């Protein structure tokens, strides 16, 4: 019994309000000067030379280990624009780029033979053996930003603070999207390796993990693979849409990490770089919260539905314990109880579990179907399992895993993408009359063969499809066949031309035709 999802276009106020409060950080001098008329060439002034060992990123000793270290006071700030700010994090006791950070650049290089740390700030340009500066940011712009730094938990990596961006005025905002590309150093090592690392193999993963915070409260984690679907390096500017996972929260800070299965015995061994450009930021506005798109699920005749999403924020965008928000045909007195190890509403982290218990349905309610919208943070990693219970009795379960998961032997369930719908199918002898509760229990599955693939999974929505018990005294629902007794509507009218997917009465039992 399939349901059709339709959307009514009544959210124009949301879109217009969002557009009026969105701004994109391009790292271009012209944009900065437009907002700061007395300052010219700001972003270009933050580009170091040479790419490795320059004074801006490595201090006055230029990275000379024989000299006394001096902190590099490198930072940038898009004041009067997005309000995004970044500085070199303190690692190993100093603020130096060899400890990680976000550096402005306009370097580009298509000569893969120059893919080394001396050219660390160069974005890769395929099919071009030259190198230079300017013209190869996103959309042919000049400037962009290069991330360097990682934390893998190994004994050989002493990173304490990850590279980050933050909103310096302290106002929580949405990051809607950014554009990502690989550096020449990355691509060279991914394809050919070097003395420190093996190249990427068909079973490896390499991805960015962005962790968003509102103050000290963890709000979400988002993942972007630095590999294409064919497991070759990304070599073109690719959009990372942070709104695509349906749950995006305003944050005050985002940490960035790079993770991979490539390990030389001393930890992560590939270059920990990526380039990014055109970061779109949106400020929450009160008007946008008052207008909502109306979402309907077209159910079978006589059938109702409840859609449940979770939230972890109050009306002022402040973190609170997770709670359920029901929409649809919600009966009076419905209650939703949430028990969760994690705090991110639409996501479940490593080894975390979550229970969503719904009570207050009218006594004798007949559950016709349960469904959940789940997925993985990336098509390359993550697995989950969810069970459904009616009045404490398990009636079905689903298991899902990343669509590109390879190199594992266990059955981790149906392969999905980042935001797929998976449905519970009742067993034939399942109890369908609900007198007390409906329960969804989910867990993040630990992948023993490759623990690095045990990553955050998505839990976006929960659905209950039901009919009121008082309509008939019939409490069983089965699959109809096309022979035998006549079919009747729930109101007792004989059906001459039954419609596929509708709920009818046959031989005193409810059936789905």
């Amino acid at each position: 019994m399939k349901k059709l999802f339709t959307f009514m276009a009544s959210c124009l106020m949301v879109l217009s309000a969002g557009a009026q409060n969105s701004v994109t950080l391009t790292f271009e001098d012209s944009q900065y000067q437009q907002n700061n008329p007395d300052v010219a060439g700001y972003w270009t002034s933050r580009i170091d030379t040479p790419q490795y060992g320059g004074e801006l990123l490595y201090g006055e000793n230029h990275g000379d280990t024989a000299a006394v270290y001096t902190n590099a006071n490198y930072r940038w700030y898009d004041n009067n624009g997005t309000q995004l700010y970044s500085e070199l994090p303190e690692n190993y006791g100093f603020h130096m780029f060899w400890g990680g950070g976000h550096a402005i650049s306009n370097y580009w290089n298509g000569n893969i033979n120059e893919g080394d740390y001396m050219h660390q700030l160069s974005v890769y340009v395929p099919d071009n053996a030259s190198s230079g500066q300017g013209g190869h940011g996103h959309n042919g712009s000049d400037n962009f930003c290069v991330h360097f730094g990682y934390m893998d938990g190994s004994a050989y990596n002493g990173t304490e603070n990850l590279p980050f961006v933050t909103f310096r005025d302290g106002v929580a905002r949405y990051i809607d999207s950014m554009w990502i590309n690989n550096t020449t150093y990355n691509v060279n090592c991914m394809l050919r390796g070097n003395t420190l690392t093996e190249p990427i193999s068909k079973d490896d993963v390499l991805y960015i993990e962005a962790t968003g915070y509102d103050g000290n409260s963890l709000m979400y984690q988002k993942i972007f693979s630095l590999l294409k679907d064919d497991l070759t390096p990304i070599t073109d500017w690719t959009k990372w849409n942070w709104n695509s996972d349906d749950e995006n929260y305003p944050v005050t800070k985002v940490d960035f990490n790079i993770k991979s299965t490539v390990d030389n015995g001393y930890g992560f061994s590939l270059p920990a770089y990526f380039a990014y450009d055109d970061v779109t930021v949106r400020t929450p506005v009160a008007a946008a919260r008052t207008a909502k798109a109306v979402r309907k699920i077209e159910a079978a005749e006589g059938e109702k539905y409840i859609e449940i999403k979770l939230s972890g924020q109050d009306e002022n965008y402040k973190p609170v314990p997770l709670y359920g928000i029901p929409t649809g045909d919600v009966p009076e007195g419905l209650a939703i109880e949430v028990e969760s190890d994690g705090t991110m509403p639409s996501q479940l982290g490593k080894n975390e579990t979550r229970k969503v218990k719904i009570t207050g349905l009218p006594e004798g309610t007949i559950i016709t179907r349960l469904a959940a919208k789940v997925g993985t943070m990336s098509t390359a990693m993550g697995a989950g399992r969810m069970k459904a219970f009616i009045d404490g009795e398990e009636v079905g379960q689903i298991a899902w895993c990343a669509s590109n998961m390879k190199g594992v032997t266990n059955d981790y369930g149906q392969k999905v993408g980042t935001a797929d719908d998976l449905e519970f199918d009742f067993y034939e002898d399942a109890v369908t009359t609900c007198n007390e509760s409906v329960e969804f229990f989910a867990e993040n599955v630990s992948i023993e063969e490759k623990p690095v693939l045990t990553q955050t999974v998505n839990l976006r929505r929960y659905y209950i499809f039901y009919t009121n018990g008082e309509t008939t005294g019939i409490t069983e629902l089965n699959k109809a066949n096309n022979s035998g007794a006549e079919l009747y509507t729930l109101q007792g009218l004989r059906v001459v031309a039954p419609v596929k997917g509708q709920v009818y009465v046959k031989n005193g039992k409810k059936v789905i035709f």
Side-chain angles (χ1 to χ4, degrees):
M1 180 177 61
K2 299 295 183 183
K3 299 295 181 292
L4 301 177
F5 290 77
T6 61
F7 294 83
M8 296 179 63
S10 61
C11 56
L12 294 179
M13 186 160 68
V14 177
L15 298 177
S16 61
Q20 293 171 4
N21 290 273
S22 294
V23 61
T24 299
L25 172 56
T26 65
F27 300 107
E28 296 302 302
D29 291 332
S30 57
Q31 183 193 43
Y32 190 92
Q33 192 170 358
Q34 181 180 359
N35 296 324
N36 303 269
D38 298 329
V39 180
Y42 173 78
W43 293 110
T44 300
S45 72
R46 309 311 296 154
I47 300 174
D48 207 358
T49 183
Q51 295 184 52
Y52 176 81
E55 185 172 336
L56 288 178
L57 295 174
Y58 295 92
E60 294 179 0
N61 62 19
H62 297 256
D64 182 1
T65 57
V68 177
Y69 288 156
T70 57
N71 282 320
N73 189 30
Y74 184 88
R75 59 194 63 197
W76 51 259
Y77 179 31
D78 183 32
N79 64 327
N80 294 327
T82 61
Q83 288 293 316
L84 282 171
Y85 169 86
S86 188
E87 64 182 33
L88 301 185
E90 182 177 0
N91 284 307
Y92 309 98
F94 293 91
H95 295 268
M96 295 262 197
F97 195 61
W98 41 249
H102 286 181
I104 307 304
S105 175
N106 62 7
Y107 295 100
W108 62 270
N109 198 321
N111 184 355
I112 199 169
N113 292 317
E114 295 182 353
D116 57 19
Y117 70 92
M118 297 298 293
H119 301 85
Q120 64 177 347
L121 301 182
S122 293
V123 69
Y124 181 64
V125 178
D127 303 320
N128 189 332
S130 300
S131 61
Q133 292 181 263
H136 287 283
H138 176 239
N139 279 336
S141 65
D142 290 329
N143 301 335
F144 49 90
C145 194
V146 173
H147 162 104
F148 169 66
Y150 73 100
M151 183 184 296
D152 68 356
S154 70
Y156 304 97
N157 175 236
T159 300
E160 297 178 351
N161 299 294
L162 289 168
F164 67 92
V165 294
T166 186
F167 294 106
R168 195 170 189 182
D169 61 1
V171 175
R173 294 176 172 85
Y174 297 95
I175 296 180
D176 283 345
S177 63
M178 60 199 311
W179 291 79
I180 304 294
N181 207 345
N182 275 306
T183 67
T184 307
Y185 189 14
N186 285 61
V187 173
N188 181 33
C189 292
M190 287 185 217
L191 296 179
R192 306 194 300 186
N194 62 14
T195 57
L196 296 176
T197 187
E198 293 293 325
I200 286 280
S201 74
K202 64 178 182 178
D203 293 328
D204 285 319
V205 296
L206 176 65
Y207 59 95
I208 308 165
E209 182 180 76
T211 304
Y213 300 88
D214 185 0
N216 294 322
S217 298
L218 176 65
M219 301 306 295
Y220 55 64
Q221 285 182 317
K222 298 178 182 291
I223 287 176
F224 181 88
S225 176
L226 290 169
L227 303 173
K228 302 176 187 176
D229 289 340
D230 62 0
L231 303 182
T232 60
I234 287 174
T235 55
D236 295 300
W237 287 102
T238 304
K239 189 175 184 179
W240 187 1
N241 186 356
W242 291 28
N243 285 326
S244 64
D245 61 5
D246 201 30
E247 297 289 353
N248 194 22
Y249 295 92
V251 293
T252 56
K253 180 183 179 181
V254 178
D255 288 340
F256 293 88
N257 196 9
I258 297 183
K259 294 186 175 182
S260 178
T261 52
V262 182
D263 188 319
N264 62 4
Y266 297 93
F268 172 52
S269 55
L270 286 169
Y273 294 83
F274 68 87
Y276 69 92
D277 200 358
D278 289 352
V279 184
T280 298
V281 169
R282 177 167 47 93
T283 302
V285 289
R289 293 180 61 85
T290 61
K292 297 181 180 179
V294 177
R295 182 173 186 169
K296 284 189 175 181
I297 298 177
E298 294 183 354
E301 181 183 353
E303 190 178 44
K304 301 180 180 180
Y305 80 97
I306 301 170
E307 178 187 71
I308 299 170
K309 66 174 288 187
L310 302 187
S311 178
Q313 291 184 313
D314 63 16
E315 59 184 10
N316 296 314
Y317 305 100
K318 297 303 179 184
V320 296
L322 294 183
Y323 62 95
I325 303 174
T327 56
D329 301 304
V330 182
E332 185 177 354
L334 189 81
I336 302 171
E337 177 184 349
V338 181
E339 296 180 12
S340 180
D341 296 333
T343 60
M344 293 179 284
S346 64
Q347 299 169 19
L348 201 61
K350 293 182 180 180
N351 303 317
E352 292 179 347
T353 63
R354 178 169 300 165
K355 180 175 75 172
V356 177
K357 185 175 182 179
I358 301 97
T359 56
L361 289 166
E363 185 175 353
T365 292
I366 299 171
I367 307 298
T368 56
R369 185 169 67 106
L370 299 178
K373 188 176 183 181
V374 301
T376 55
M377 287 293 290
S378 165
T379 57
M381 64 206 74
R385 182 180 294 111
M386 187 183 292
K387 298 180 180 181
F389 301 83
I390 296 178
D391 293 343
E393 180 174 344
E394 182 179 334
V395 294
Q397 61 177 284
I398 54 174
W400 70 96
C401 67
S403 59
N404 286 341
M405 188 178 290
K406 297 180 180 180
V408 295
T409 58
N410 288 348
D411 180 10
Y412 290 102
Q414 182 175 343
K415 293 183 177 181
V416 301
T418 55
D420 289 332
D421 289 285
L422 292 182
E423 299 178 0
F424 292 113
D425 290 325
F426 286 160
Y427 303 133
E428 290 184 0
D429 58 350
V431 175
T432 57
T433 302
C434 177
N435 293 305
E436 296 180 2
S437 66
V438 172
E439 218 172 279
F440 298 91
F441 179 80
E443 59 181 329
N444 187 308
V445 176
S446 178
I447 301 172
E448 297 178 359
E449 295 91 337
K450 286 193 174 183
V452 71
L453 295 177
T454 304
Q455 296 295 329
T456 301
V457 295
N458 291 330
L459 305 174
R460 304 180 186 281
R461 296 287 190 273
Y462 308 83
Y463 298 96
I464 300 174
F465 295 89
Y466 71 99
T467 61
N468 292 332
E470 67 272 11
T471 303
T472 71
I474 302 160
T475 58
E476 292 182 40
L477 182 66
N478 302 291
K479 272 285 184 181
N481 55 42
N482 294 324
S483 62
E486 293 133 353
L487 298 175
Y488 296 85
T489 68
L490 298 178
Q491 290 73 35
L493 300 177
R494 184 178 174 182
V495 178
V496 177
V499 179
K500 187 176 181 180
Q502 299 284 10
V503 179
Y504 299 107
V505 176
K506 178 180 179 180
N507 284 331
K509 295 182 178 181
K510 281 192 175 181
V511 296
I512 304 173
F513 186 79

